[in-house]
Short mmCIF file of all heavy atoms in Angstrom, two decimals:
data_model
loop_
_atom_site.label_atom_id
_atom_site.label_comp_id
_atom_site.label_asym_id
_atom_site.label_seq_id
_atom_site.Cartn_x
_atom_site.Cartn_y
_atom_site.Cartn_z
N ARG A 172 107.90 33.87 73.05
CA ARG A 172 107.08 33.61 74.22
C ARG A 172 106.03 32.53 73.89
O ARG A 172 105.74 32.27 72.71
CB ARG A 172 106.37 34.88 74.67
CG ARG A 172 107.30 36.02 75.07
CD ARG A 172 108.04 35.71 76.36
NE ARG A 172 108.76 36.86 76.89
CZ ARG A 172 110.08 36.92 77.03
NH1 ARG A 172 110.83 35.87 76.65
NH2 ARG A 172 110.65 37.98 77.55
N ALA A 173 105.48 31.93 74.94
CA ALA A 173 104.41 30.94 74.74
C ALA A 173 103.25 31.60 73.99
O ALA A 173 102.78 32.68 74.37
CB ALA A 173 103.94 30.41 76.09
N CYS A 174 102.83 30.96 72.91
CA CYS A 174 101.82 31.55 72.03
C CYS A 174 100.52 31.82 72.79
O CYS A 174 100.02 30.96 73.52
CB CYS A 174 101.53 30.63 70.85
SG CYS A 174 102.96 30.29 69.78
N ASP A 175 100.00 33.01 72.62
CA ASP A 175 98.70 33.38 73.16
C ASP A 175 97.94 34.07 72.03
O ASP A 175 98.11 35.28 71.78
CB ASP A 175 98.85 34.32 74.36
CG ASP A 175 97.51 34.74 74.95
OD1 ASP A 175 96.46 34.34 74.39
OD2 ASP A 175 97.50 35.48 75.95
N TYR A 176 97.10 33.31 71.33
CA TYR A 176 96.45 33.84 70.14
C TYR A 176 95.32 34.81 70.47
O TYR A 176 94.73 35.40 69.56
CB TYR A 176 95.93 32.68 69.29
CG TYR A 176 97.04 31.75 68.80
CD1 TYR A 176 96.91 30.37 68.88
CD2 TYR A 176 98.22 32.26 68.27
CE1 TYR A 176 97.91 29.52 68.44
CE2 TYR A 176 99.23 31.44 67.83
CZ TYR A 176 99.08 30.07 67.92
OH TYR A 176 100.08 29.24 67.48
N ASN A 177 95.02 34.97 71.75
CA ASN A 177 94.03 35.96 72.15
C ASN A 177 94.65 37.33 72.39
O ASN A 177 93.93 38.32 72.53
CB ASN A 177 93.31 35.51 73.43
CG ASN A 177 92.46 34.28 73.20
OD1 ASN A 177 91.75 34.20 72.19
ND2 ASN A 177 92.52 33.33 74.11
N SER A 178 95.97 37.37 72.44
CA SER A 178 96.67 38.63 72.71
C SER A 178 97.13 39.28 71.41
O SER A 178 97.78 38.64 70.58
CB SER A 178 97.87 38.38 73.62
OG SER A 178 98.69 39.54 73.70
N ASN A 179 96.82 40.54 71.25
CA ASN A 179 97.25 41.26 70.05
C ASN A 179 98.76 41.51 70.02
O ASN A 179 99.30 41.89 68.98
CB ASN A 179 96.51 42.60 69.93
CG ASN A 179 95.08 42.42 69.45
OD1 ASN A 179 94.73 41.38 68.88
ND2 ASN A 179 94.24 43.42 69.69
N ASP A 180 99.43 41.31 71.15
CA ASP A 180 100.89 41.47 71.17
C ASP A 180 101.59 40.39 70.35
O ASP A 180 102.78 40.51 70.05
CB ASP A 180 101.42 41.43 72.61
CG ASP A 180 100.99 42.65 73.41
OD1 ASP A 180 100.52 43.63 72.80
OD2 ASP A 180 101.13 42.62 74.65
N PHE A 181 100.86 39.33 70.00
CA PHE A 181 101.41 38.25 69.17
C PHE A 181 100.96 38.38 67.71
O PHE A 181 101.29 37.52 66.90
CB PHE A 181 100.94 36.89 69.69
CG PHE A 181 101.58 36.47 70.99
CD1 PHE A 181 101.02 36.84 72.20
CD2 PHE A 181 102.73 35.70 70.99
CE1 PHE A 181 101.59 36.43 73.40
CE2 PHE A 181 103.32 35.30 72.17
CZ PHE A 181 102.75 35.66 73.38
N LYS A 182 100.20 39.42 67.38
CA LYS A 182 99.57 39.48 66.07
C LYS A 182 100.15 40.61 65.21
O LYS A 182 100.38 41.73 65.69
CB LYS A 182 98.06 39.67 66.22
CG LYS A 182 97.37 38.50 66.90
CD LYS A 182 95.88 38.77 67.08
CE LYS A 182 95.19 37.61 67.79
NZ LYS A 182 93.75 37.87 67.99
N PHE A 183 100.36 40.28 63.94
CA PHE A 183 100.89 41.23 62.97
C PHE A 183 100.16 41.04 61.65
O PHE A 183 99.77 39.93 61.29
CB PHE A 183 102.39 41.01 62.76
CG PHE A 183 103.20 41.12 64.02
CD1 PHE A 183 103.36 40.02 64.86
CD2 PHE A 183 103.75 42.33 64.39
CE1 PHE A 183 104.08 40.13 66.03
CE2 PHE A 183 104.47 42.45 65.56
CZ PHE A 183 104.63 41.34 66.40
N GLU A 184 99.97 42.14 60.95
CA GLU A 184 99.41 42.03 59.60
C GLU A 184 100.57 41.98 58.60
O GLU A 184 101.48 42.83 58.64
CB GLU A 184 98.50 43.20 59.29
CG GLU A 184 97.84 43.06 57.92
CD GLU A 184 96.80 44.13 57.63
OE1 GLU A 184 96.46 44.89 58.56
OE2 GLU A 184 96.32 44.18 56.47
N VAL A 185 100.53 40.99 57.72
CA VAL A 185 101.54 40.86 56.68
C VAL A 185 101.14 41.77 55.53
O VAL A 185 100.07 41.59 54.92
CB VAL A 185 101.64 39.40 56.19
CG1 VAL A 185 102.74 39.29 55.13
CG2 VAL A 185 101.92 38.46 57.35
N VAL A 186 101.94 42.76 55.22
CA VAL A 186 101.63 43.74 54.18
C VAL A 186 102.75 43.76 53.15
O VAL A 186 103.86 43.28 53.42
CB VAL A 186 101.44 45.15 54.80
CG1 VAL A 186 100.28 45.15 55.78
CG2 VAL A 186 102.73 45.62 55.48
N PRO A 187 102.49 44.27 51.95
CA PRO A 187 103.58 44.41 50.98
C PRO A 187 104.72 45.23 51.57
O PRO A 187 104.49 46.14 52.38
CB PRO A 187 102.90 45.13 49.80
CG PRO A 187 101.45 44.77 49.92
CD PRO A 187 101.19 44.70 51.40
N GLY A 188 105.92 44.90 51.19
CA GLY A 188 107.08 45.57 51.77
C GLY A 188 107.01 47.08 51.68
O GLY A 188 106.63 47.64 50.65
N LEU A 189 107.36 47.75 52.77
CA LEU A 189 107.36 49.21 52.77
C LEU A 189 108.35 49.74 51.73
O LEU A 189 108.18 50.84 51.20
CB LEU A 189 107.73 49.73 54.16
CG LEU A 189 106.78 49.36 55.30
CD1 LEU A 189 107.29 49.94 56.62
CD2 LEU A 189 105.37 49.84 55.01
N LEU A 190 109.39 48.96 51.48
CA LEU A 190 110.34 49.28 50.42
C LEU A 190 110.35 48.11 49.45
O LEU A 190 110.84 47.03 49.79
CB LEU A 190 111.74 49.51 50.99
CG LEU A 190 112.77 50.06 50.01
CD1 LEU A 190 112.43 51.50 49.63
CD2 LEU A 190 114.17 50.00 50.60
#
Side-chain angles (χ1 to χ4, degrees):
R172 299 291 190 243
C174 299
D175 180 357
Y176 299 134
N177 293 316
S178 170
N179 284 341
D180 291 347
F181 288 88
K182 296 178 181 179
F183 302 86
E184 183 174 351
V185 182
V186 298
L189 298 180
L190 189 68

